[in-house]
């Protein structure tokens, strides 16, 4: 089955399942394996690749560059600017450095990595300039809670195209008020650490549900994040078996019994909690 698609506010669609790159680019010895993993993911339809100037100090962007070499148009590249670089001129310079490392002329979605000290209106102005100049195609934010989203809109940030936040079965707090806020304004969510950095791959309740689907616990964790039609889930995997498993998670149809069991084991939030970050 093809991977489902999520609509961006522009009307463009991206795959609901992409690939993360945190921890890639840290070792020359692993470079070829990481490139191969991302390429396999591209082959399997996980064409959205998430990276950041922070990851391996730009090293992850270089892995992405090699993975998309000769097939740039197939990929939807997401990168992120450090908050301390997100001033009116700093964000433009940071983006140009990322473009060089990525060996491309445009980033498809450029995010502010987390809220920082530069006035958010200045970051928005920089993002709009980058967009006008064709260096980025969309911009968004990451690790923004409801209050920060309100401030963003007040500062002229209506063009926000996504908010990337920590979301998985053990991190459901965002369902309480952030997801409704985003859904109302049709801003898609990017779910980071969807397998809780690998920890959900060993969960007993997930193993039980996985057995009935001839699947793995990690696949059930991913299938949970894909239940909503406004979530783009971005697992990171270097092991080729993990890449294959993750792509196949898009085929899993959770039953109402499964979701009830998941809700019992990992209850939905009943009150507001602070936004969690990794
Ligand atoms: N915006 C932010 O602040 C922020 C924060 C954190 C992450 N992110 C983004 O989100 C991406 C994903 O999050 P993450 O890397 O923190 O965690 P994750 O995707 O939840 O977990 C990655 C870990 O899980 C393992 N894994 C992947 N698929 C698996 C499977 N099918 N079975 C068993 N284990 C599996 C990987 O192993 P192998 O690599 O060995 O295959 C890796 O150790 C990041 O890479 C990054 O792009 C963004």
């Amino acid at each position: 089955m093809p991977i489902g698609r999520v609509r961006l506010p522009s009307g463009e669609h991206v795959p609901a399942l992409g690939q993360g790159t945190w921890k890639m680019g840290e070792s020359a010895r692993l470079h070829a394996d990481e490139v191969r993993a991302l390429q396999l993911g591209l082959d399997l339809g996980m064409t959205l690749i998430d990276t950041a100037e922070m990851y391996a100090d730009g090293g992850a962007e270089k892995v992405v560059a090699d993975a998309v070499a000769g097939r740039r148009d197939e990929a939807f590249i997401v990168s992120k600017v450090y908050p301390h670089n997100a001033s009116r001129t700093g964000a433009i310079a940071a983006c140009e450095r990322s473009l060089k490392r990525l060996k491309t002329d445009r980033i498809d979605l450029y995010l502010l990595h987390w809220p920082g000290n530069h006035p958010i209106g200045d970051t928005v102005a920089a993002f709009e300039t980058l967009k006008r100049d064709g260096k980025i195609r969309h911009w968004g934010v990451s690790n923004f809670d409801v209050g920060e989203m309100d401030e963003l809109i007040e500062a002229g940030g209506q063009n926000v195209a996504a908010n990337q936040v920590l979301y998985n079965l053990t991190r459901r707090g965002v369902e309480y008020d952030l997801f409704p806020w985003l859904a109302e304004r049709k801003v898609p969510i990017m779910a980071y650490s969807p397998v809780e950095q690998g920890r959900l791959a060993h969960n007993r309740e997930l193993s039980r549900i996985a057995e009935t689907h001839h699947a793995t616990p990690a696949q059930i964790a991913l299938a949970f994040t894909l239940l909503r039609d406004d979530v783009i889930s971005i697992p990171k995997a270097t092991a080729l078996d993990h890449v294959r498993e993750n792509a196949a998670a898009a085929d899993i149809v959770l039953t109402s019994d499964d979701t009830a069991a998941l809700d019992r084991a990992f209850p939905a939030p009943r009150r507001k909690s602070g936004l969690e970050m990794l």
Side-chain angles (χ1 to χ4, degrees):
M1 247 181 1
I3 292 170
R5 299 186 83 72
V6 171
R7 189 183 188 279
L8 299 181
S10 66
E12 183 171 336
H13 288 77
V14 295
L17 200 46
Q19 305 186 76
T21 63
W22 192 17
K23 308 281 161 72
M24 289 189 180
E26 291 180 354
S27 147
R29 195 173 49 81
L30 294 177
H31 183 89
D33 290 347
E34 292 165 351
V35 168
R36 204 169 304 125
L38 291 177
Q39 287 173 335
L40 174 61
L42 286 170
D43 294 341
L44 297 175
M46 297 189 291
T47 52
L48 182 148
I49 301 180
D50 179 78
T51 189
E53 62 171 335
M54 184 183 99
Y55 302 160
D57 215 3
E61 291 181 323
K62 292 181 183 168
V63 174
V64 174
D66 288 347
V68 305
R71 55 196 300 194
R72 170 65 184 93
D73 291 347
E74 283 174 50
F76 185 98
I77 297 179
V78 184
S79 194
K80 312 185 199 79
V81 59
Y82 264 127
H84 64 254
N85 283 337
S87 65
R88 210 177 265 256
T89 52
I92 291 170
C95 180
E96 281 164 358
R97 291 193 296 271
S98 284
L99 287 170
K100 276 208 185 86
R101 286 188 292 264
L102 287 162
K103 295 190 185 145
T104 184
D105 59 348
R106 81 275 180 198
I107 289 169
D108 296 290
L109 174 61
Y110 197 43
L111 308 178
L112 172 60
H113 209 146
W114 62 87
N117 293 330
H118 289 294
I120 190 65
D122 287 1
T123 308
V124 170
F127 283 170
E128 290 293 345
T129 301
L130 286 166
K131 205 164 127 177
R132 186 200 63 208
D133 294 346
K135 292 178 180 166
I136 64 173
R137 297 181 52 247
H138 310 273
W139 65 261
V141 292
S142 177
N143 297 300
F144 268 47
D145 206 345
V146 167
E148 287 134 354
M149 290 307 296
D150 284 333
E151 286 169 22
L152 172 68
I153 301 299
E154 271 166 38
Q158 289 82 356
N159 289 338
V160 59
N163 185 7
Q164 183 177 123
V165 293
L166 175 60
Y167 183 55
N168 64 50
L169 279 162
T170 59
R171 312 280 191 166
R172 296 184 64 175
V174 284
E175 290 176 23
Y176 186 76
D177 59 349
L178 182 60
F179 282 11
W181 191 104
L182 295 166
E184 197 177 309
R185 291 159 184 85
K186 300 198 169 12
V187 178
I189 296 148
M190 296 184 73
Y192 75 70
S193 308
V195 281
E196 185 62 15
Q197 300 194 313
R199 291 182 284 278
L200 281 172
H202 311 287
N203 182 276
R204 192 178 296 173
E205 181 61 19
L206 294 186
S207 298
R208 197 189 59 73
I209 296 172
E211 265 176 36
T212 67
H213 289 274
H214 306 291
T216 67
Q219 287 180 308
I220 301 300
L222 287 176
F224 167 79
T225 63
L226 298 177
L227 285 171
R228 297 177 58 102
D229 63 8
D230 57 355
V231 167
I232 302 153
S233 194
I234 48 167
K236 175 265 176 186
T238 300
L240 298 182
D241 284 349
H242 289 165
V243 177
R244 287 188 199 94
E245 263 184 32
N246 295 351
D251 296 341
I252 295 173
V253 181
L254 295 175
T255 64
S256 53
D257 283 352
D258 294 334
T259 54
L262 290 173
D263 283 340
R264 279 193 300 277
F266 307 94
R270 295 219 185 135
R271 60 185 70 84
K272 170 77 185 158
S273 55
L275 184 67
E276 295 180 279
M277 272 179 75
L278 281 181

